[in-house]
Amino acid sequence: MPKDRASEPPLTPIPVIDVKDEARNAETVDAGFWDKIRRLAGRLPFADTLVAAWFCARDPDTPPRVRAMLLGALAYFVVPTDVIPDFLLHLGGFTDDAAVLAAVIGIVGSNIKPSHRAAARQALGLPPSPEDEPAPVAEEPTKKKRFWLF
């Protein structure tokens, strides 16, 4: 028998991230993000995505909800005590960090602009990706002369 909708409790609204939470996440990220990136960038396959998320979170044009979500994911990366401790590098210590970042980027990834990605690659000392470089301008082909009269 189907349940009567009147007997179900009303849905509770999802709380919006508080300004204090966002400020605390920003402080956590500011305190340890770049130190951790410097130590681990060569061993993290998602380092450029992390730094692009940092640049997006710091962009004043980024919507507040997107900024809050990115700062939360970045703070999770910075804090060493999480589901799988980060010191277990070879045993998947950053698997949970990558999963949190992937989930957040899956939701707000359209807000990470090519300029954020280019700045991230530059900050990490990586060459620009092919997507960041402008497309080459095609030159008009020159007509070859077959005979000296034409």
Side-chain angles (χ1 to χ4, degrees):
M1 259 166 62
K3 286 186 176 180
D4 184 15
R5 290 214 173 246
S7 65
E8 292 180 10
L11 296 174
T12 57
I14 299 173
V16 177
I17 294 178
D18 189 13
V19 175
K20 293 176 187 175
D21 291 336
E22 185 177 348
R24 186 178 64 241
N25 286 341
E27 287 174 12
T28 302
V29 170
D30 290 342
F33 180 75
W34 286 107
D35 289 336
K36 196 163 187 178
I37 283 292
R38 278 187 205 99
R39 283 185 286 122
L40 301 170
R43 295 183 279 178
L44 293 176
F46 56 95
D48 56 338
T49 306
L50 268 171
V51 178
W54 184 88
F55 278 108
C56 183
R58 294 300 179 204
D59 187 350
D61 294 335
T62 300
R65 286 187 179 193
V66 172
R67 182 179 301 114
M69 291 182 74
L70 289 171
L71 286 172
L74 293 171
Y76 187 83
F77 168 73
V78 170
V79 175
T81 55
D82 50 26
V83 176
I84 302 174
D86 294 343
F87 66 85
L88 298 174
L89 181 62
H90 298 291
L91 300 175
F94 290 103
T95 305
D96 57 331
D97 299 298
V100 168
L101 183 66
V104 169
I105 295 214
I107 296 168
V108 300
S110 62
N111 291 281
I112 298 178
K113 301 174 186 169
S115 61
H116 300 141
R117 295 191 187 280
R121 294 186 68 78
Q122 183 179 7
L124 292 170
L126 299 172
S129 69
E131 296 92 32
D132 297 337
E133 295 178 1
V137 178
E139 295 180 17
E140 190 172 320
T142 58
K143 190 174 182 181
K144 293 183 180 180
K145 294 184 179 181
R146 295 186 172 202
F147 303 104
W148 65 275
L149 292 176
F150 299 104

